[in-house]
Amino acid sequence: MTGFEATRGWAQAQDAADPLRAFRGEFHIPPHHGRETLYFCGNSLGLQPKGVRAAVEAELADWSELAVEAHFRGRSPWLHYHEYVRDAMADVVGAKPHEVVAMNTLGVNLHLMMVSFYRPTQERPAILMEAGAFPTDRYALESQVRFHGFDPATDLIEIQPDGPGGTLSMAAIEEAIAEHGHRVALVVLPGVQYRTGQVFDLAAIVRLARVQGCVVGFDLAHAVGNLPLALHDSGADFAVWCTYKYLNAGPGAVAGCFVHERHANADVPRFAGWWGHDKSTRFQMGPQFVPTPGADGWQLSNPPILALAPLRASLDVFTRAGMDNLVTKSRRLTAYLDWLIRSRLDDTLDIVTPNDPLQRGAQLSVRVRAGRDSGRMLFGYLEQQGIIGDWREPDVIRLSPTPLYNRFADCLGAVEAIEAWRGMQA
Ligand SMILES: Cc1ncc(COP(=O)(O)O)c(C=O)c1O
């Protein structure tokens, strides 16, 4: 028994009793013909926290009033700006503060991490990944294999999905690591698969890979701000993520990067820049690069202050809401949408995302049973109704109720709209 009910009264009562309900008021909800959209697209671009504007304006004001002096005398001196997001970011991903840094974008960080942690040899040249990974991961990994003079045909090993709806079982991952591990230099997997919404067990993957002597990195684009993460304890060597999805830091926002503390002082090859140089001697402008211990040592450039300000404002929301509280609400909210779809739309939609709450985050990926064309039609209809999810080729609609700003009533509204569309198809 779920205790769920498919009535507006029930959904509104849940929203009224939600301890996190006030946070919705901290976001700009895009309008749609005089009403608020039902926004289910936090998996792609999170909504704008209202605090962002003031955070950016403060830096613009410091720039206009202090110019270069704002590095030292600004309200938040720019010299240390990336450090202002460090603790909150570490909390969100379950890491120690010196293991995380906000810099660049996800794809750039993935390459920088591979410069240091993908060290192929003739005996161990390969990267192990999932088939169907997000394109940038595929492109980045393949290009790294080629860059080192190896052949992706043999040295980029892809684990094929073996589960319902294109999901990947832990058994398949285990088998692939056991079979290929001896020639795998690096394993790269996601925290949440972008198309299916499936969650991977990071710690279990690291355990398996380390037995075979492989380095392990994760792409947490869809996991960060969505799942409870324990990156340090997982033992992963590195992880990268973007901050524009569940973290609501804005389009193309500054990304995050984790380097496990066992590499904090490691003498590994890296692409260096002055902002990664030891802070205490950076301005002596010497020719010899001395890395800052920890993740900070992978920075290249002085940080983009105007782009970091929104991240700072958005992480402040997370700090106040608390990841544990968000996860508790998220599990219930997504379970409600899952239950509504299964009980009201079983003849119309298949849910691709695993039903097990521990194997999914906020996102539910659905396929229209009647096929791709119907799926496109439904997606277009939802957009016209101001119900915003997203479409992923070839045939998936992603709907992600996010706990900071979505309501139980939103889930019911989306399902009622799909029922109305079904009625029109008859
Ligand atoms: C799983 C995953 N990896 C990588 C990316 C690309 O990130 P970026 O363009 O910020 O480098 C995305 C973007 O949505 C993603 O979902």
Side-chain angles (χ1 to χ4, degrees):
M1 282 304 289
T2 60
F4 295 144
E5 292 179 25
T7 63
R8 197 141 289 273
W10 186 89
Q12 285 171 346
Q14 305 312 302
D15 293 327
D18 171 11
L20 298 178
R21 67 186 174 282
F23 283 100
R24 178 179 169 84
E26 295 196 26
F27 288 86
H28 290 287
I29 314 285
H32 179 78
H33 299 312
R35 294 205 325 257
E36 290 176 333
T37 51
L38 302 188
Y39 194 78
F40 289 97
C41 215
N43 57 282
S44 179
L45 182 74
L47 293 180
Q48 183 187 137
K50 289 180 180 166
V52 160
R53 189 173 296 270
V56 174
E57 280 173 356
E59 304 316 327
L60 286 172
D62 277 1
W63 182 17
S64 64
E65 289 156 24
L66 298 168
V68 71
E69 287 294 305
H71 283 98
F72 319 103
R73 293 199 293 111
R75 273 161 270 202
S76 308
W78 294 342
L79 199 57
H80 315 289
Y81 208 89
H82 74 274
E83 296 170 16
Y84 307 149
V85 298
R86 185 154 62 196
D87 288 357
M89 188 106 106
D91 268 0
V92 167
V93 299
K96 298 187 178 181
H98 68 278
E99 292 177 315
V100 301
V101 61
M103 60 181 189
N104 311 314
T105 50
L106 189 162
V108 173
N109 289 341
L110 183 55
H111 276 295
L112 290 180
M113 289 294 97
M114 285 195 281
V115 166
S116 295
F117 299 113
Y118 173 48
R119 307 299 305 157
T121 60
Q122 288 301 331
E123 298 70 42
R124 206 183 255 279
I127 300 182
L128 182 68
M129 65 180 298
E130 46 143 5
F134 192 87
T136 217
D137 295 37
R138 181 71 174 65
Y139 305 155
L141 272 49
E142 178 174 336
S143 64
Q144 286 278 341
V145 169
R146 286 189 199 283
F147 176 74
H148 285 280
F150 293 98
D151 180 1
T154 49
D155 300 330
L156 187 62
I157 304 170
E158 294 177 275
I159 317 174
Q160 297 300 325
D162 62 335
T167 52
L168 182 58
S169 71
M170 198 60 208
I173 296 174
E174 190 165 355
E175 224 170 85
I177 292 174
E179 183 185 344
H180 303 288
H182 64 284
R183 52 187 307 277
V184 168
L186 173 67
V187 175
V188 178
L189 286 168
V192 175
Q193 217 285 341
Y194 81 100
R195 190 185 279 116
T196 66
Q198 178 186 8
V199 167
F200 291 96
D201 183 338
L202 308 190
I205 290 166
V206 173
R207 267 197 305 278
L208 293 167
R210 286 180 75 82
V211 169
Q212 297 287 336
C214 319
V215 172
V216 187
F218 291 107
D219 175 344
L220 301 180
H222 292 264
V224 66
N226 176 19
L227 302 176
L229 292 169
L231 264 185
H232 173 82
D233 291 346
S234 79
D237 293 283
F238 70 85
V240 292
W241 58 90
C242 52
T243 60
Y244 44 76
K245 300 178 184 296
Y246 298 100
L247 287 187
N248 312 310
V254 179
C257 187
F258 163 89
V259 180
H260 196 279
E261 72 174 348
R262 67 175 170 276
H263 302 301
N265 294 299
D267 185 16
V268 289
R270 68 179 95 196
F271 286 170
W274 77 317
W275 228 253
H277 185 95
D278 183 8
K279 200 174 152 180
S280 61
T281 56
R282 183 188 295 146
F283 286 92
Q284 290 174 10
M285 311 307 250
Q288 195 70 38
F289 177 71
V290 179
T292 307
D296 274 9
W298 272 266
Q299 294 173 101
L300 295 182
S301 305
N302 74 107
I305 305 302
L306 297 179
L308 267 178
L311 176 60
R312 190 178 178 196
S314 63
L315 284 170
D316 173 62
V317 179
F318 273 82
T319 302
R320 285 184 288 111
M323 225 20 238
D324 289 351
N325 300 328
L326 289 167
V327 168
T328 303
K329 176 175 169 189
S330 178
R331 292 226 161 104
R332 217 164 151 257
L333 200 58
T334 297
Y336 184 52
L337 181 60
D338 180 286
W339 176 81
L340 284 169
I341 292 172
R342 285 177 203 279
S343 54
R344 304 270 291 256
L345 294 166
D346 197 39
D347 59 348
T348 310
L349 298 182
D350 279 323
I351 299 179
V352 172
T353 310
N355 189 230
D356 173 2
L358 297 178
Q359 282 191 64
R360 70 179 180 207
Q363 172 185 338
L364 288 185
S365 297
V366 299
R367 284 199 177 102
V368 174
R369 289 197 168 187
R372 182 181 184 281
D373 290 349
S374 296
R376 288 289 328 171
M377 276 165 53
L378 170 60
F379 183 67
Y381 174 80
L382 291 175
E383 267 186 338
Q384 281 166 13
Q385 303 300 310
I387 299 172
I388 309 300
D390 67 1
W391 175 265
R392 276 290 168 259
E393 295 294 350
D395 56 1
V396 164
I397 296 174
R398 302 188 295 188
L399 296 170
S400 304
T402 65
L404 274 172
Y405 47 75
N406 280 118
R407 302 168 297 191
F408 287 82
D410 296 351
C411 298
L412 184 61
V415 167
E416 285 173 347
I418 300 171
E419 284 179 317
W421 174 80
R422 178 179 59 190
M424 289 186 281
Q425 309 309 300

PDB file of all heavy atoms in Angstrom, residues 256-276:
ATOM      1  N   GLY A 256      31.819  21.119 -11.469  1.00  0.00           N
ATOM      2  CA  GLY A 256      32.507  20.623 -10.286  1.00  0.00           C
ATOM      3  C   GLY A 256      33.432  19.470 -10.621  1.00  0.00           C
ATOM      4  O   GLY A 256      33.271  18.784 -11.641  1.00  0.00           O
ATOM      5  N   CYS A 257      34.396  19.264  -9.745  1.00  0.00           N
ATOM      6  CA  CYS A 257      35.382  18.214  -9.968  1.00  0.00           C
ATOM      7  C   CYS A 257      35.836  17.690  -8.613  1.00  0.00           C
ATOM      8  O   CYS A 257      36.051  18.470  -7.671  1.00  0.00           O
ATOM      9  CB  CYS A 257      36.558  18.839 -10.726  1.00  0.00           C
ATOM     10  SG  CYS A 257      37.767  17.653 -11.269  1.00  0.00           S
ATOM     11  N   PHE A 258      35.964  16.371  -8.509  1.00  0.00           N
ATOM     12  CA  PHE A 258      36.403  15.708  -7.285  1.00  0.00           C
ATOM     13  C   PHE A 258      37.681  14.936  -7.576  1.00  0.00           C
ATOM     14  O   PHE A 258      37.758  14.210  -8.576  1.00  0.00           O
ATOM     15  CB  PHE A 258      35.297  14.743  -6.822  1.00  0.00           C
ATOM     16  CG  PHE A 258      35.730  13.695  -5.820  1.00  0.00           C
ATOM     17  CD1 PHE A 258      35.672  13.949  -4.456  1.00  0.00           C
ATOM     18  CD2 PHE A 258      36.173  12.442  -6.238  1.00  0.00           C
ATOM     19  CE1 PHE A 258      36.057  12.982  -3.525  1.00  0.00           C
ATOM     20  CE2 PHE A 258      36.554  11.465  -5.323  1.00  0.00           C
ATOM     21  CZ  PHE A 258      36.493  11.738  -3.963  1.00  0.00           C
ATOM     22  N   VAL A 259      38.654  15.101  -6.719  1.00  0.00           N
ATOM     23  CA  VAL A 259      39.871  14.275  -6.787  1.00  0.00           C
ATOM     24  C   VAL A 259      40.051  13.679  -5.398  1.00  0.00           C
ATOM     25  O   VAL A 259      40.145  14.423  -4.409  1.00  0.00           O
ATOM     26  CB  VAL A 259      41.114  15.113  -7.158  1.00  0.00           C
ATOM     27  CG1 VAL A 259      42.350  14.220  -7.221  1.00  0.00           C
ATOM     28  CG2 VAL A 259      40.906  15.836  -8.484  1.00  0.00           C
ATOM     29  N   HIS A 260      40.075  12.374  -5.309  1.00  0.00           N
ATOM     30  CA  HIS A 260      40.152  11.740  -3.995  1.00  0.00           C
ATOM     31  C   HIS A 260      41.414  12.192  -3.260  1.00  0.00           C
ATOM     32  O   HIS A 260      42.471  12.374  -3.870  1.00  0.00           O
ATOM     33  CB  HIS A 260      40.141  10.217  -4.134  1.00  0.00           C
ATOM     34  CG  HIS A 260      39.823   9.542  -2.840  1.00  0.00           C
ATOM     35  ND1 HIS A 260      40.773   9.332  -1.862  1.00  0.00           N
ATOM     36  CD2 HIS A 260      38.659   9.073  -2.337  1.00  0.00           C
ATOM     37  CE1 HIS A 260      40.199   8.744  -0.816  1.00  0.00           C
ATOM     38  NE2 HIS A 260      38.907   8.585  -1.084  1.00  0.00           N
ATOM     39  N   GLU A 261      41.307  12.309  -1.935  1.00  0.00           N
ATOM     40  CA  GLU A 261      42.436  12.888  -1.186  1.00  0.00           C
ATOM     41  C   GLU A 261      43.702  12.040  -1.273  1.00  0.00           C
ATOM     42  O   GLU A 261      44.795  12.547  -1.028  1.00  0.00           O
ATOM     43  CB  GLU A 261      42.059  13.161   0.272  1.00  0.00           C
ATOM     44  CG  GLU A 261      41.916  11.959   1.135  1.00  0.00           C
ATOM     45  CD  GLU A 261      41.688  12.363   2.608  1.00  0.00           C
ATOM     46  OE1 GLU A 261      41.865  13.524   2.976  1.00  0.00           O
ATOM     47  OE2 GLU A 261      41.305  11.457   3.379  1.00  0.00           O
ATOM     48  N   ARG A 262      43.576  10.758  -1.661  1.00  0.00           N
ATOM     49  CA  ARG A 262      44.829   9.990  -1.774  1.00  0.00           C
ATOM     50  C   ARG A 262      45.682  10.513  -2.935  1.00  0.00           C
ATOM     51  O   ARG A 262      46.860  10.202  -3.021  1.00  0.00           O
ATOM     52  CB  ARG A 262      44.552   8.499  -1.913  1.00  0.00           C
ATOM     53  CG  ARG A 262      43.888   8.055  -3.177  1.00  0.00           C
ATOM     54  CD  ARG A 262      43.774   6.528  -3.259  1.00  0.00           C
ATOM     55  NE  ARG A 262      42.916   6.161  -4.366  1.00  0.00           N
ATOM     56  CZ  ARG A 262      41.599   6.115  -4.315  1.00  0.00           C
ATOM     57  NH1 ARG A 262      40.962   6.352  -3.188  1.00  0.00           N
ATOM     58  NH2 ARG A 262      40.896   5.783  -5.384  1.00  0.00           N
ATOM     59  N   HIS A 263      45.076  11.324  -3.810  1.00  0.00           N
ATOM     60  CA  HIS A 263      45.853  11.933  -4.899  1.00  0.00           C
ATOM     61  C   HIS A 263      46.201  13.394  -4.614  1.00  0.00           C
ATOM     62  O   HIS A 263      46.726  14.084  -5.493  1.00  0.00           O
ATOM     63  CB  HIS A 263      45.054  11.878  -6.209  1.00  0.00           C
ATOM     64  CG  HIS A 263      44.669  10.501  -6.636  1.00  0.00           C
ATOM     65  ND1 HIS A 263      45.592   9.512  -6.881  1.00  0.00           N
ATOM     66  CD2 HIS A 263      43.448   9.930  -6.844  1.00  0.00           C
ATOM     67  CE1 HIS A 263      44.963   8.393  -7.231  1.00  0.00           C
ATOM     68  NE2 HIS A 263      43.659   8.624  -7.212  1.00  0.00           N
ATOM     69  N   ALA A 264      45.880  13.861  -3.385  1.00  0.00           N
ATOM     70  CA  ALA A 264      46.000  15.297  -3.095  1.00  0.00           C
ATOM     71  C   ALA A 264      47.409  15.817  -3.358  1.00  0.00           C
ATOM     72  O   ALA A 264      47.589  16.917  -3.867  1.00  0.00           O
ATOM     73  CB  ALA A 264      45.594  15.587  -1.647  1.00  0.00           C
ATOM     74  N   ASN A 265      48.395  15.010  -3.004  1.00  0.00           N
ATOM     75  CA  ASN A 265      49.781  15.451  -3.198  1.00  0.00           C
ATOM     76  C   ASN A 265      50.512  14.580  -4.210  1.00  0.00           C
ATOM     77  O   ASN A 265      51.746  14.578  -4.260  1.00  0.00           O
ATOM     78  CB  ASN A 265      50.527  15.413  -1.854  1.00  0.00           C
ATOM     79  CG  ASN A 265      49.960  16.441  -0.897  1.00  0.00           C
ATOM     80  OD1 ASN A 265      49.988  17.633  -1.166  1.00  0.00           O
ATOM     81  ND2 ASN A 265      49.397  15.981   0.216  1.00  0.00           N
ATOM     82  N   ALA A 266      49.734  13.852  -4.995  1.00  0.00           N
ATOM     83  CA  ALA A 266      50.361  12.890  -5.907  1.00  0.00           C
ATOM     84  C   ALA A 266      51.112  13.614  -7.013  1.00  0.00           C
ATOM     85  O   ALA A 266      50.676  14.659  -7.497  1.00  0.00           O
ATOM     86  CB  ALA A 266      49.293  11.985  -6.518  1.00  0.00           C
ATOM     87  N   ASP A 267      52.211  13.028  -7.381  1.00  0.00           N
ATOM     88  CA  ASP A 267      53.006  13.596  -8.468  1.00  0.00           C
ATOM     89  C   ASP A 267      52.521  12.976  -9.776  1.00  0.00           C
ATOM     90  O   ASP A 267      53.152  12.081 -10.322  1.00  0.00           O
ATOM     91  CB  ASP A 267      54.490  13.279  -8.205  1.00  0.00           C
ATOM     92  CG  ASP A 267      55.379  13.952  -9.237  1.00  0.00           C
ATOM     93  OD1 ASP A 267      54.890  14.863  -9.928  1.00  0.00           O
ATOM     94  OD2 ASP A 267      56.552  13.541  -9.348  1.00  0.00           O
ATOM     95  N   VAL A 268      51.368  13.444 -10.243  1.00  0.00           N
ATOM     96  CA  VAL A 268      50.803  12.886 -11.480  1.00  0.00           C
ATOM     97  C   VAL A 268      50.922  13.932 -12.584  1.00  0.00           C
ATOM     98  O   VAL A 268      50.959  15.137 -12.306  1.00  0.00           O
ATOM     99  CB  VAL A 268      49.312  12.493 -11.303  1.00  0.00           C
ATOM    100  CG1 VAL A 268      49.172  11.267 -10.418  1.00  0.00           C
ATOM    101  CG2 VAL A 268      48.490  13.659 -10.759  1.00  0.00           C
ATOM    102  N   PRO A 269      50.966  13.459 -13.825  1.00  0.00           N
ATOM    103  CA  PRO A 269      51.011  14.436 -14.921  1.00  0.00           C
ATOM    104  C   PRO A 269      49.725  15.258 -14.914  1.00  0.00           C
ATOM    105  O   PRO A 269      48.656  14.735 -14.577  1.00  0.00           O
ATOM    106  CB  PRO A 269      51.056  13.573 -16.183  1.00  0.00           C
ATOM    107  CG  PRO A 269      51.180  12.183 -15.740  1.00  0.00           C
ATOM    108  CD  PRO A 269      50.887  12.089 -14.287  1.00  0.00           C
ATOM    109  N   ARG A 270      49.839  16.500 -15.236  1.00  0.00           N
ATOM    110  CA  ARG A 270      48.621  17.310 -15.333  1.00  0.00           C
ATOM    111  C   ARG A 270      48.873  18.474 -16.270  1.00  0.00           C
ATOM    112  O   ARG A 270      50.029  18.851 -16.498  1.00  0.00           O
ATOM    113  CB  ARG A 270      48.152  17.793 -13.967  1.00  0.00           C
ATOM    114  CG  ARG A 270      49.044  18.796 -13.299  1.00  0.00           C
ATOM    115  CD  ARG A 270      48.475  19.230 -11.961  1.00  0.00           C
ATOM    116  NE  ARG A 270      49.022  18.463 -10.862  1.00  0.00           N
ATOM    117  CZ  ARG A 270      48.492  18.406  -9.632  1.00  0.00           C
ATOM    118  NH1 ARG A 270      47.366  19.025  -9.366  1.00  0.00           N
ATOM    119  NH2 ARG A 270      49.064  17.727  -8.678  1.00  0.00           N
ATOM    120  N   PHE A 271      47.795  19.040 -16.781  1.00  0.00           N
ATOM    121  CA  PHE A 271      47.890  20.285 -17.532  1.00  0.00           C
ATOM    122  C   PHE A 271      47.781  21.402 -16.496  1.00  0.00           C
ATOM    123  O   PHE A 271      46.776  21.478 -15.787  1.00  0.00           O
ATOM    124  CB  PHE A 271      46.772  20.389 -18.567  1.00  0.00           C
ATOM    125  CG  PHE A 271      46.964  19.499 -19.771  1.00  0.00           C
ATOM    126  CD1 PHE A 271      45.936  19.327 -20.697  1.00  0.00           C
ATOM    127  CD2 PHE A 271      48.164  18.849 -19.997  1.00  0.00           C
ATOM    128  CE1 PHE A 271      46.114  18.519 -21.813  1.00  0.00           C
ATOM    129  CE2 PHE A 271      48.348  18.038 -21.107  1.00  0.00           C
ATOM    130  CZ  PHE A 271      47.314  17.870 -22.019  1.00  0.00           C
ATOM    131  N   ALA A 272      48.790  22.236 -16.432  1.00  0.00           N
ATOM    132  CA  ALA A 272      48.868  23.195 -15.329  1.00  0.00           C
ATOM    133  C   ALA A 272      48.538  24.618 -15.759  1.00  0.00           C
ATOM    134  O   ALA A 272      48.691  24.983 -16.922  1.00  0.00           O
ATOM    135  CB  ALA A 272      50.271  23.154 -14.725  1.00  0.00           C
ATOM    136  N   GLY A 273      48.074  25.403 -14.807  1.00  0.00           N
ATOM    137  CA  GLY A 273      47.841  26.836 -15.007  1.00  0.00           C
ATOM    138  C   GLY A 273      48.077  27.560 -13.689  1.00  0.00           C
ATOM    139  O   GLY A 273      48.125  26.926 -12.629  1.00  0.00           O
ATOM    140  N   TRP A 274      48.151  28.862 -13.739  1.00  0.00           N
ATOM    141  CA  TRP A 274      48.611  29.594 -12.548  1.00  0.00           C
ATOM    142  C   TRP A 274      47.656  29.468 -11.370  1.00  0.00           C
ATOM    143  O   TRP A 274      48.066  29.550 -10.220  1.00  0.00           O
ATOM    144  CB  TRP A 274      48.940  31.047 -12.891  1.00  0.00           C
ATOM    145  CG  TRP A 274      47.779  31.996 -13.078  1.00  0.00           C
ATOM    146  CD1 TRP A 274      46.634  31.749 -13.744  1.00  0.00           C
ATOM    147  CD2 TRP A 274      47.682  33.346 -12.595  1.00  0.00           C
ATOM    148  NE1 TRP A 274      45.823  32.845 -13.732  1.00  0.00           N
ATOM    149  CE2 TRP A 274      46.450  33.849 -13.025  1.00  0.00           C
ATOM    150  CE3 TRP A 274      48.524  34.180 -11.855  1.00  0.00           C
ATOM    151  CZ2 TRP A 274      46.018  35.139 -12.734  1.00  0.00           C
ATOM    152  CZ3 TRP A 274      48.093  35.472 -11.569  1.00  0.00           C
ATOM    153  CH2 TRP A 274      46.857  35.937 -12.003  1.00  0.00           C
ATOM    154  N   TRP A 275      46.340  29.238 -11.643  1.00  0.00           N
ATOM    155  CA  TRP A 275      45.430  29.163 -10.501  1.00  0.00           C
ATOM    156  C   TRP A 275      45.532  27.824  -9.761  1.00  0.00           C
ATOM    157  O   TRP A 275      45.044  27.668  -8.657  1.00  0.00           O
ATOM    158  CB  TRP A 275      43.983  29.463 -10.920  1.00  0.00           C
ATOM    159  CG  TRP A 275      43.364  30.455  -9.974  1.00  0.00           C
ATOM    160  CD1 TRP A 275      42.416  30.184  -9.028  1.00  0.00           C
ATOM    161  CD2 TRP A 275      43.654  31.844  -9.839  1.00  0.00           C
ATOM    162  NE1 TRP A 275      42.120  31.321  -8.316  1.00  0.00           N
ATOM    163  CE2 TRP A 275      42.871  32.364  -8.792  1.00  0.00           C
ATOM    164  CE3 TRP A 275      44.546  32.714 -10.492  1.00  0.00           C
ATOM    165  CZ2 TRP A 275      42.914  33.690  -8.398  1.00  0.00           C
ATOM    166  CZ3 TRP A 275      44.578  34.042 -10.097  1.00  0.00           C
ATOM    167  CH2 TRP A 275      43.777  34.515  -9.062  1.00  0.00           C
ATOM    168  N   GLY A 276      46.201  26.867 -10.381  1.00  0.00           N
ATOM    169  CA  GLY A 276      46.440  25.602  -9.688  1.00  0.00           C
ATOM    170  C   GLY A 276      47.722  25.640  -8.862  1.00  0.00           C
ATOM    171  O   GLY A 276      47.998  24.735  -8.077  1.00  0.00           O
TER     172      GLY A 276
END
